């Protein structure tokens, strides 16, 4: 298939581009580079050995999005583009609702006009909210995220469901994934957050490379094995391969809209991940335990049975793999992607 990857220069999008090419698909990228750098495209082309066409514009622009579908032959869409920081979404809710919803509206309208009926949507485990029992299962239907970011994902899932059920032939996979970490094993592409990292793994990596003084662990008194919060960390390459599996199984899904959890099914604590990163680096790293962060849950992880049984997908890479690949990326690119190469 010829696949349009929105947000294809971003962290998860770029790794998915490589997985798509490896699986034999053609790829077109649209990205406004607001949270990524154009230099990633040259690295993708070097790693994949193919030319990656890129359209640089904001996907919320309805006219430009429609024009893109008019000039490119597109069989399917994988939709990553959007804003994604939970904390920032609390401070800037209108930006999150506008960007994350309007980009989907523009895509759906262009798909309708040009008869493109296959879509894989980048959703999130945040849709489950604090009332969902652990492990999270797709059948839980009282989605109530606690942040504007998460609620924008819940809203998008509802929009996609309603539109798909009203559009003959359309099929959508909603991929709810947990905590993506790691990098491509080459060390050429990885996570490059702008400013202070919002997530644990890139913060640890920046401590290890000397960009941050120490890691602050938020909360050491949770009801977990070591008192620190537990999450389901998933290697980004496993996640990328999950998108390819979902794309290739769209036509065989038992329902035209189907949600899938992508995770390992295992909780890993903050300190367990931190110690694994120390093993990858080969030395101890500085950290301190501080107070809990408002809104953080003690522990959650995925039940990924449906993805295994229906998509034939399973996460295979270990926590040590995730840390080793992250360290390879960060040590080779201490300041992240350069502005030009």
């Amino acid at each position: 298939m010829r696949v349009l990857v929105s947000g294809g220069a971003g962290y998860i999008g770029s790794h998915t581009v490589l997985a798509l090419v490896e699986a034999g698909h053609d790829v077109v990228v649209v990205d406004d580079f607001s949270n990524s750098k154009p230099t990633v495209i040259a690295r993708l082309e070097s790693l994949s050995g193919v030319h990656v066409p890129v359209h640089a514009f904001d996907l919320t622009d309805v006219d430009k999005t429609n024009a893109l579908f008019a000039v490119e032959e597109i069989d399917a869409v994988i939709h990553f583009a959007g804003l994604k920081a939970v904390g920032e979404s609390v401070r800037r809710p209108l930006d999150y609702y506008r960007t994350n919803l309007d980009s989907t509206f523009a895509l759906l309208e262009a798909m309708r006009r040009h008869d493109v009926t296959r879509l894989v949507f980048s959703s999130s485990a945040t849709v489950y909210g604090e009332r969902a029992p652990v492990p999270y299962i797709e059948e839980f239907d009282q989605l109530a995220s606690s942040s504007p970011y998460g609620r924008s994902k819940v809203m998008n899932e509802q929009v996609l469901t309603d539109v798909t059920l009203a559009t003959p032939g359309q099929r959508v996979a909603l991929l709810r994934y947990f905590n993506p970490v790691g990098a491509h094993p080459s060390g050429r592409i990885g996570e490059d957050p702008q400013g202070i990292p919002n997530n644990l793994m890139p913060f640890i990596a920046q401590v290890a490379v000397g960009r941050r003084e120490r890691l602050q662990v938020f909360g050491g008194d949770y009801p977990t094995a070591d008192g620190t919060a537990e999450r389901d960390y998933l290697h980004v390459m496993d996640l990328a391969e999950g998108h390819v599996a979902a794309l290739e199984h769209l036509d065989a899904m038992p329902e035209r809209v189907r949600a899938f959890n992508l995770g390992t099914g295992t909780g890993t604590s903050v300190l367990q991940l931190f110690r694994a990163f120390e093993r990858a680096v080969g030395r101890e790293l500085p950290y301190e335990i501080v107070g809990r962060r408002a809104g953080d849950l003690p522990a959650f992880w995925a039940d990924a049975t449906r993805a295994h049984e229906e998509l034939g997908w399973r996460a295979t890479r270990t926590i040590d793999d995730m840390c080793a690949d992250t360290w390879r990326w960060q040590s080779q690119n201490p300041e992240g992607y350069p502005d030009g190469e």
Side-chain angles (χ1 to χ4, degrees):
M1 283 184 270
R2 195 151 200 260
V3 185
L4 175 66
V5 181
S6 76
Y11 174 44
I12 303 170
S14 60
H15 290 79
T16 301
V17 166
L18 288 183
L20 286 164
V21 172
E22 186 173 322
H25 300 287
D26 293 329
V27 178
V28 179
V29 166
V30 58
D31 202 302
D32 68 356
F33 298 102
S34 61
N35 195 37
S36 59
K37 292 185 179 178
T39 49
V40 72
I41 300 300
R43 296 191 179 194
L44 288 176
E45 292 182 332
S46 175
L47 288 167
S48 67
V50 301
H51 172 60
V52 179
V54 179
H55 297 262
F57 66 86
D58 186 336
L59 203 62
T60 63
D61 188 315
V62 174
D63 292 336
K64 288 183 179 179
T65 302
N66 186 61
L68 166 61
F69 279 74
V71 299
E72 295 281 9
E73 199 72 34
I74 295 169
D75 300 310
V77 176
I78 300 182
H79 181 26
F80 294 105
L83 301 175
K84 63 175 186 175
V86 172
E88 183 182 63
S89 76
V90 176
R91 299 189 301 272
R92 297 169 46 201
L94 186 58
D95 289 342
Y96 271 69
Y97 288 125
R98 179 183 291 121
T99 298
N100 292 358
L101 289 167
D102 282 357
S103 60
T104 301
F105 296 157
L107 264 180
L108 286 171
E109 179 62 24
M111 289 174 66
R112 183 189 63 81
R113 289 187 180 185
H114 298 277
D115 197 28
V116 179
T117 58
R118 299 182 183 94
L119 175 68
V120 176
F121 177 63
S122 166
S123 192
S124 167
T126 60
V127 301
Y128 288 107
E130 60 186 20
R131 295 194 300 272
V134 176
Y136 294 161
I137 58 173
E138 293 92 345
E139 287 85 356
F140 184 76
D141 61 0
Q142 301 172 45
L143 302 180
S145 180
S146 58
S147 70
Y149 162 73
R151 283 191 284 271
S152 77
K153 293 294 188 182
V154 174
M155 292 176 183
N156 263 315
E157 286 200 13
Q158 189 61 62
V159 168
L160 289 165
T161 298
D162 292 341
V163 171
T164 298
L165 295 179
T167 307
Q170 184 159 307
R171 305 185 75 84
V172 174
L174 309 170
L175 302 189
R176 299 169 179 169
Y177 37 86
F178 283 67
N179 293 71
V181 297
H184 190 267
S186 67
R188 293 286 289 159
I189 63 172
E191 188 169 10
D192 183 21
Q194 308 300 303
I196 299 174
N198 292 297
N199 299 321
L200 176 62
M201 183 74 99
F203 203 107
I204 297 174
Q206 290 190 9
V207 170
V209 84
R211 289 173 62 181
R212 308 286 168 192
E213 183 179 354
R214 63 170 51 84
L215 174 70
Q216 287 190 324
V217 178
F218 296 103
D221 58 351
Y222 285 108
T224 60
D226 60 21
T228 63
E230 294 178 352
R231 298 290 183 265
D232 191 337
Y233 296 99
L234 171 69
H235 198 295
V236 68
M237 288 308 302
D238 278 328
L239 180 58
E241 290 161 6
H243 286 76
V244 177
L247 175 74
E248 294 177 345
H249 285 80
L250 278 173
D251 294 340
M253 292 191 311
E255 301 167 328
R256 291 202 290 127
V257 184
R258 191 81 164 155
F260 297 93
N261 287 336
L262 297 186
T264 65
T266 302
T268 299
S269 76
V270 173
L271 284 182
Q272 286 172 333
L273 186 71
F274 183 76
R275 298 305 181 199
F277 207 94
E278 288 183 324
R279 291 195 296 273
V281 176
R283 66 178 190 277
E284 292 185 354
L285 300 172
Y287 77 98
E288 62 179 339
I289 295 178
V290 298
R292 295 185 185 188
R293 189 168 50 185
D296 277 354
L297 301 177
F300 62 81
W301 55 88
D303 181 332
T305 302
R306 178 183 289 181
H308 176 59
E309 292 180 347
E310 297 184 14
L311 305 181
W313 174 89
R314 176 177 284 160
T316 61
R317 296 163 177 87
T318 67
I319 289 292
D320 285 315
D321 293 332
M322 300 174 204
C323 292
D325 289 340
T326 300
W327 179 235
R328 187 178 301 108
W329 150 257
Q330 192 70 78
S331 59
Q332 292 181 17
N333 304 270
E335 300 298 325
Y337 290 111
D339 291 325
E341 288 189 321

